Amino acid sequence: MEDKRILYVSSEVVPYLAENEVSLMSYDVPKMINDQGGQIRIFMPRYGNINERRHQLHEVIRLSGMNLVVNDLDMPLIIKVASIPKERIQVYFIDNDEYFKRKATFSDEEGVLFADNDERAIFFAKGVVETVKKLNWVPDIIHVHGWMASLLPIYMKHYYKDEALFSQTKILTSVYGQSFEGSLDLEMINKIKFDGVPQEAIEELELPNYENLIKAAVKHSDGVIIASENVSPSLTKFIESSGKPFLPFAAKEKFSETYTNFYRNMLS
């Protein structure tokens, strides 16, 4: 993967958040490609429970200062950056006081999902793409991990479809086991349609639960990786019948070789 540019967009990444399937793979896969001489960038939300001082996050003034429109409201975009120690890997953090200041990731102390998680996901997707445009860094592959990043394939295929910068970019989505119960705001589909995404492209999001978010992401991806042994049978069946190139689950000791080959096949 020498000199290939791969953009990782993830809900969670260690060491900034606790270890789980998504956060560990969102570190292990970029590290593997980095070790192979690939050029990588990682993007994640800057949740309020990330310790900025310990991880030495700092704002990138030249990238901050844009406003992103979410459901007809202007929301300021703040970009922060840090490096993963010893790995020389840069991580960019998408931030906004309204959406990401609270000291938790997806739910409150009672385990109730935040009411604005849908808008946070829209803001995150747009924030990543706008920042990459400002960096003028053209990824060969965008690899999405976790449901908070799941709108990125949708926005790339519709809202940003005319961006020449991404005309050759392939989008991969890694699919994990169910990570939340219940549903996001039922108005989510209308907020995405506000950005010119047609209803039929996102009909799954009429009920924006975990599985439907992932189905919509799969529909708009160029390839899919089953990244967990705990993916539901219905989601697995959806992926297998989607007609997309997909990689079945690979154990940790084998994922390096299988992921690299899958990347190469996507780029050939």
Side-chain angles (χ1 to χ4, degrees):
M1 297 307 291
E2 188 86 31
D3 292 333
K4 291 297 179 199
R5 291 181 169 190
I6 303 186
L7 172 64
Y8 292 92
V9 184
S10 180
S11 296
E12 306 163 81
V13 183
V14 294
Y16 305 104
L17 292 170
E19 293 186 1
N20 60 34
E21 274 191 323
V22 177
S23 65
L24 284 166
M25 284 302 271
S26 301
Y27 169 83
D28 289 340
V29 182
K31 180 185 182 308
M32 171 193 83
I33 297 299
N34 198 48
D35 291 345
Q36 294 176 12
Q39 297 180 41
I40 64 161
R41 301 258 168 94
I42 301 175
F43 277 74
M44 68 178 291
R46 203 293 297 178
Y47 307 103
N49 54 347
I50 294 172
N51 188 318
E52 294 206 9
R53 184 176 293 174
R54 184 194 311 147
H55 295 297
Q56 299 181 340
L57 273 67
H58 59 271
E59 185 175 348
V60 187
I61 302 297
R62 71 184 177 88
L63 297 176
S64 300
M66 283 184 279
N67 273 16
L68 305 179
V69 177
V70 177
N71 201 30
D72 210 16
L73 285 175
D74 273 356
M75 308 302 281
L77 173 64
I78 302 163
I79 305 295
K80 293 176 178 167
V81 71
S83 291
I84 295 179
K86 302 185 208 144
E87 295 301 338
R88 298 200 311 278
I89 293 175
Q90 273 200 318
V91 181
Y92 290 81
F93 296 83
I94 300 294
D95 198 5
N96 168 276
D97 283 349
E98 182 80 20
Y99 289 139
F100 295 112
K101 193 157 188 140
R102 64 203 77 156
K103 300 283 185 192
T105 48
F106 312 126
S107 50
D108 64 19
E109 291 162 6
E110 309 294 315
V112 177
L113 289 171
F114 292 127
D116 63 352
N117 273 338
D118 59 331
E119 294 186 9
R120 296 166 93 209
I122 293 169
F123 184 87
F124 180 51
K126 286 183 166 180
V128 169
V129 182
E130 294 297 345
T131 305
V132 172
K133 281 167 57 182
K134 248 187 170 175
L135 290 167
N136 202 28
W137 189 80
V138 185
D140 296 297
I141 291 173
I142 299 175
H143 190 166
V144 173
H145 298 259
W147 69 266
M148 182 64 85
S150 63
L151 298 186
L152 190 118
I154 297 166
Y155 273 80
M156 288 292 291
K157 298 292 187 188
H158 294 283
Y159 191 75
Y160 292 106
K161 67 179 187 291
D162 297 325
E163 288 286 347
L165 196 69
F166 304 113
S167 61
Q168 302 298 312
T169 301
K170 301 289 189 202
I171 302 170
L172 296 182
T173 293
S174 276
V175 178
Y176 296 87
Q178 183 153 334
S179 56
F180 72 85
E181 300 293 334
S183 150
L184 304 189
D185 184 0
L186 294 178
E187 278 298 302
M188 181 179 194
I189 190 167
N190 293 323
K191 295 171 189 177
I192 298 172
K193 281 164 58 182
F194 177 84
D195 287 323
V197 179
Q199 167 104 15
E200 61 272 16
I202 49 170
E203 58 195 4
E204 291 86 3
L205 298 184
E206 286 179 16
L207 177 62
N209 59 20
Y210 176 78
E211 191 148 313
N212 287 340
L213 279 169
I214 302 305
K215 283 180 177 177
V218 166
K219 244 170 65 171
H220 290 86
S221 299
D222 299 302
V224 184
I225 294 174
I226 297 177
S228 167
E229 290 183 283
N230 303 316
V231 174
S232 73
S234 56
L235 202 45
T236 304
K237 188 175 176 186
F238 180 84
I239 293 164
E240 290 170 348
S241 61
S242 68
K244 312 275 181 183
F246 76 93
L247 185 64
F249 177 73
K252 179 143 191 192
E253 58 274 10
K254 291 194 177 153
F255 93 87
S256 175
E257 184 184 350
T258 54
Y259 277 45
T260 305
N261 289 337
F262 193 67
Y263 281 173
R264 287 203 178 104
N265 290 339
M266 291 305 303
L267 293 171
S268 60

